[in-house]
Each structure stands twice: as structure tokens, then as C-alpha cells.
Amino acid sequence: MNLLLGVLLQSWNILLESSIFILFGLLVSGLLRVFLNPGAVATHLGEGRFRSVFKASLMGIPIPLCSCGVLPAAAALKKQGANNGAVTSFLISTPESGVDSISITYALMDPIMTVMRPVAAFFTAFTAGIAENLLGRPDMFRPVVPDLSCPVDGCCDGVDCAPDVHRRHHGFGEKVTAGLRFAFTDVWGDLALWFLFGLLLSGAITELIPESVFSRYMGGGFSAMLIMLGVGIPIYICATASTPIAAALILQGVSPGAALVFLMVGPATNVTSLTVLTRVLGRRATAIYLTAIAVCAVGFGLLVDRIYHVLGISARAIVGQAGESIPYAIELAGAMIILVLSVKPVWHFLRSRFPDGGRRPGPTGDGSLAAPEHCAGST
């Protein structure tokens, strides 16, 4: 019983930490839907095995979204015509880096880590995206046909309507309203069940892993990086929150390379995001995503340790304030909004799995069996 309560508490804490980022990600997905030209997305992120991946990797570096918050935005890009490689790249570079985490890295660590963090994020994203596009099935590379119809109310198909005319069909307020409706109904409806399932798994893993594992047996070397890899993949932690933890680990004797592994893997992977990725991109693409992150993280970790050794620089961090955290009241409000938005998708899932409350058709008053609802009136 205590273990169950601990898992639920960990899951609730993770939801609190991620709720605002998820809502922000949903907001981004809605705005992408109504303001981003699907034709432009298909051109820049849907065509070309290399060019689209490069653009997606670069585009994700400055955006401050965590691994959960980036999922809705990536799902929107997928629906707008982006190929799997570009979506994979965006899913890696965005949570691994961001303008906020870069600035905090500079404040808490040093210029080397500040530079290597976004560079490693870009290289990892580009590698994973290229691998996805090269190893993808041939039919994945057929020309993308994006949905050009009006995203607000479908007033035109976007093909026979001139772009300048199409842009004047709806005002700014109408587009924002339609974007929010799309984000909080369609997008979250696709992700809610998988997110909640992954949230419980994340809570269980977080509850079972002792806190001392972060500072014990990881004094440096390849084995320390493998341990950090194993710890960082399943847990949830955003790029900003991972920075002070990594700084503290360095102060406790963990090598900067092992700390970089944690900074790359922790924000980009967790059980929650991996379960949703399986839904959005499929199991094969998720395997490529995870393998690329693991290999590149260890590779860059070894490279960073080598750089510090050659330059003779101590990796001691200058620990300071990482910035004001989000007030608890706002986190609580965000978590409650997420739960409220999840009621309808969960209810529809339960209704589809257990129709009529799970009751089996029984005998009618005349002794015959009642026909199933979908067969009523048939001959």
C-alpha cells in the first residue's frame, strides 16, 4: 500500500512539474495548426532526407519545451506534412536544449558545457533524423500531400483559393480560438491516454530508483556514463531542472562527460514520452530515436571528458540560483487543467473497451436474445 501511494505521489509530482510545459506545448501545437502554412511545412520538413532533418534539428535548439511539452508540437508538425526524420530531429533537439537551459548552463557551469550542450543536441538530432529517413520504408518517401484546407472551419480547400484571399477569411481571434480548440481536443485526445499511462510508469520507476544512485558509483569513466544513461532514460526531468542537478553531480565528483550524458538523456527521454512516441511514430522509429540518443550521449560524454583533460581545466561548477521556479499554485492549476482535459479521452477509451458497462446481452421478455445495438433493425 505504501509503495502504491509512493508511485502515485511521484506521478503527481511529475505531473505538477510538467503541466505548464505540456499546456505550453499544446498552445504551440494549436498556433502551428492555424498560423503555419502546411505547404511550407511540407516543403521544408517533408521533402528531402537531409535538408528537412537539418532544418528541424536547428529549429528545435532555441525552443524551450521539455520532452513532454514538445510532443504535442511534434504531433502537429507530423499532421502538417513533416516526415518522420524531421519529426524525430525536432523531438530530440527541442527538449535537449533551449534558450533558458543554455543561459542556466552558463550560470551554473562553464563556457565549455554551455557550448557543447546545444552542439551535442543538434548533432544527436541530425543523426537520429538521418537514420530514420535512411532506414525508413520506401513508401515513406513518397511526396507528402498536406491538408491545405482552412484549419479554422474548413471554409475552403486551400487549393482553388488564392493564398492572399485565404488569409483574409478569418481574423486573428478566430484563428487563435480554432487553434486552442484543436490543441485541447484533437491533439490532446490522441496523447492523453498514452501520457497518463507513461506517467504512472515514470512514477513507479522514480519511486524504485534510490536518490543516492546519482552520486554513487559515478566518479567518471565509461562505466559512470553507462550508469547515467540507464538512470536518465526512464525518468522525467526537463532541461532547465536537470542543469542544477548536473552541476551538483560535478561538485560531488562526477565527470563533466557523465554529467553531459545526464543533460542529454534526461530531458529527451522518459517512459512517458517513449510511450507517446510509439503511438505517434511507431516502434521502429522510437527504437532509432532512443538508440541515437544513447550512442551520441556517450560519445559526446567521452569527448567532453577528453576536452577538459587536454585543456587541463577543472570541471568544478559555480553553483548559483537557477532562476525562479514556477509557483506551486500555477503548477497545481496546470495539473488540474491537464486532468480535466483528460477526462473525455479516457471516458471514450473506457466506453470503447467496455460498451454498455460490460454487460452481455441477456434474454428478453419473450425468451429471445436481445440483438446488439448495431444490429437493431437489420434484416
Side-chain angles (χ1 to χ4, degrees):
M1 188 64 178
N2 290 335
L3 180 61
L4 177 60
L5 291 177
V7 170
L8 293 177
L9 180 60
Q10 292 290 352
S11 300
W12 171 249
N13 289 334
I14 295 172
L15 178 60
L16 285 175
E17 294 176 2
S18 61
S19 61
I20 298 301
F21 296 97
I22 294 171
L23 293 175
F24 182 70
L26 288 172
L27 176 62
V28 171
S29 71
L31 297 181
L32 287 174
R33 166 71 173 177
V34 296
F35 288 106
L36 194 60
N37 187 337
V41 174
T43 300
H44 292 286
L45 301 184
E47 297 177 0
R49 299 185 181 185
F50 300 95
R51 183 178 57 186
S52 62
V53 170
F54 177 86
K55 292 178 180 179
S57 302
L58 193 62
M59 182 175 67
I61 293 295
I63 300 178
L65 288 177
C66 65
S67 58
C68 290
V70 72
L71 291 171
L77 288 177
K78 176 68 175 176
K79 291 183 178 181
Q80 293 287 67
N83 61 43
N84 271 12
V87 174
T88 300
S89 299
F90 184 78
L91 282 168
I92 293 176
S93 64
T94 303
E96 282 191 347
S97 183
V99 291
D100 54 343
S101 60
I102 292 174
S103 62
I104 293 177
T105 303
Y106 180 79
L108 297 182
M109 295 186 179
D110 55 54
I112 295 179
M113 293 292 285
T114 303
V115 173
M116 291 303 299
R117 188 174 187 178
V119 168
F122 173 82
F123 184 85
T124 304
F126 185 76
T127 301
I130 293 300
E132 170 59 29
N133 280 348
L134 291 179
L135 299 176
R137 300 181 182 89
D139 61 351
M140 290 176 55
F141 306 116
R142 292 179 297 182
V144 177
V145 182
D147 181 11
L148 300 177
S149 60
C150 176
V152 177
D153 57 5
C155 62
C156 65
D157 59 10
V159 177
D160 301 322
C161 179
D164 57 335
V165 176
H166 192 184
R167 283 194 293 267
R168 294 197 298 268
H169 282 181
H170 302 283
F172 179 81
E174 289 180 290
K175 291 181 178 180
V176 171
T177 302
L180 293 176
R181 183 169 56 249
F182 168 77
F184 295 124
T185 56
D186 292 47
V187 176
W188 188 245
D190 291 339
L191 302 180
L193 195 67
W194 290 86
F195 172 78
L196 294 176
F197 175 71
L199 193 69
L200 291 175
L201 288 181
S202 295
I205 293 174
T206 304
E207 176 70 13
L208 294 175
I209 297 178
E211 295 181 2
S212 59
V213 75
F214 288 101
S215 57
R216 192 179 301 170
Y217 312 123
M218 291 183 287
F222 185 73
S223 60
M225 296 181 193
L226 291 181
I227 295 175
M228 196 73 78
L229 194 67
V231 172
I233 286 178
I235 67 170
Y236 168 81
I237 187 167
C238 68
T240 300
S242 66
T243 308
I245 296 176
L249 291 175
I250 292 177
L251 283 176
Q252 294 172 354
V254 174
S255 72
L260 181 64
V261 172
F262 178 72
L263 289 174
M264 293 179 64
V265 173
T269 65
N270 60 73
V271 175
T272 304
S273 64
L274 293 177
T275 55
V276 178
L277 279 177
T278 303
R279 165 72 172 178
V280 175
L281 297 179
R283 287 177 294 183
R284 182 188 55 80
T286 303
I288 294 176
Y289 170 92
L290 188 59
T291 301
I293 291 176
V295 172
C296 290
V298 173
F300 271 96
L302 294 173
L303 176 62
V304 165
D305 276 351
R306 184 62 179 171
I307 291 175
Y308 277 94
H309 176 74
V310 170
L311 296 179
I313 298 176
S314 173
R316 295 184 63 87
I318 304 175
V319 179
Q321 296 295 327
E324 296 182 359
S325 60
I326 298 175
Y328 177 78
I330 296 180
E331 289 185 336
L332 180 60
M336 296 307 296
I337 291 174
I338 291 295
L339 292 178
V340 171
L341 293 175
S342 302
V343 170
K344 187 174 181 179
V346 172
W347 173 249
H348 283 171
F349 171 79
L350 294 177
R351 285 286 302 272
S352 65
R353 290 301 180 94
F354 306 103
D356 300 324
R359 295 191 301 270
R360 298 176 61 87
T364 61
D366 58 0
S368 63
L369 292 178
E373 184 177 350
H374 66 275
C375 295
S378 61
T379 57

